[in-house]
Amino acid sequence: MARQDEEVKLLGFLMSPIVKRMEWALKLKGVEYEYVEEDIFNKSPMLLELHPAHKEVSVLVHGDKVIVESLLILEYVDETRKQCPLLPRHPYHKAMVRFWASVSEDE
């Protein structure tokens, strides 16, 4: 991403479609990452430390940077890896994608 040699970890839950979206984006962008499965009923100390506000997945760790919330993670990945853009270039189309992504996130 910003530095290709920095370790990337994704904390997720196997059954979460939102976490699957993060995995697809990372794979599309060619980002090598370590997947860390979280038990959402018995949260690990790492998850509680990395996401103190909501204490939930998804969490992306890139080197010493922690990004939480799936839409913010997608934006971060898209902005730090320019190949295979996740969003269209046109501002209107980009706004529509962001709108529908936020609707699906709230469902």
Side-chain angles (χ1 to χ4, degrees):
M1 293 168 36
R3 287 193 47 203
Q4 304 239 349
D5 60 340
E6 290 183 310
E7 182 179 82
V8 177
K9 289 183 183 181
L10 177 64
L11 281 71
F13 174 60
L14 180 65
M15 303 305 290
S16 170
I18 292 171
V19 173
K20 288 295 176 204
R21 186 174 19 185
M22 304 301 100
E23 290 185 286
W24 294 335
L26 291 168
K27 288 177 182 177
L28 179 67
K29 294 288 194 170
V31 177
E32 291 186 27
Y33 65 97
E34 175 187 350
Y35 177 77
V36 179
E37 178 70 19
E38 282 291 332
D39 177 350
I40 60 171
F41 302 108
N42 186 23
K43 297 173 182 176
S44 73
M46 180 170 55
L47 176 62
L48 297 174
E49 177 186 332
L50 294 174
H51 197 334
H54 296 121
K55 301 172 178 57
E56 59 190 18
V57 295
S58 48
V59 175
L60 183 82
V61 181
H62 178 214
D64 62 351
K65 296 175 275 310
V66 177
I67 302 93
V68 298
E69 304 298 329
S70 64
L71 294 178
L72 299 176
I73 292 170
L74 288 174
E75 285 184 27
Y76 178 82
V77 170
D78 203 30
E79 291 174 6
T80 56
R81 288 281 180 118
K82 298 301 182 187
Q83 74 276 14
C84 301
L86 301 174
L87 295 172
R89 295 187 71 154
H90 192 279
Y92 173 77
H93 297 134
K94 191 180 291 187
M96 290 296 94
V97 168
R98 286 184 170 142
F99 168 75
W100 287 110
S102 70
V103 167
S104 72
E105 189 86 359
D106 294 338
E107 293 297 315

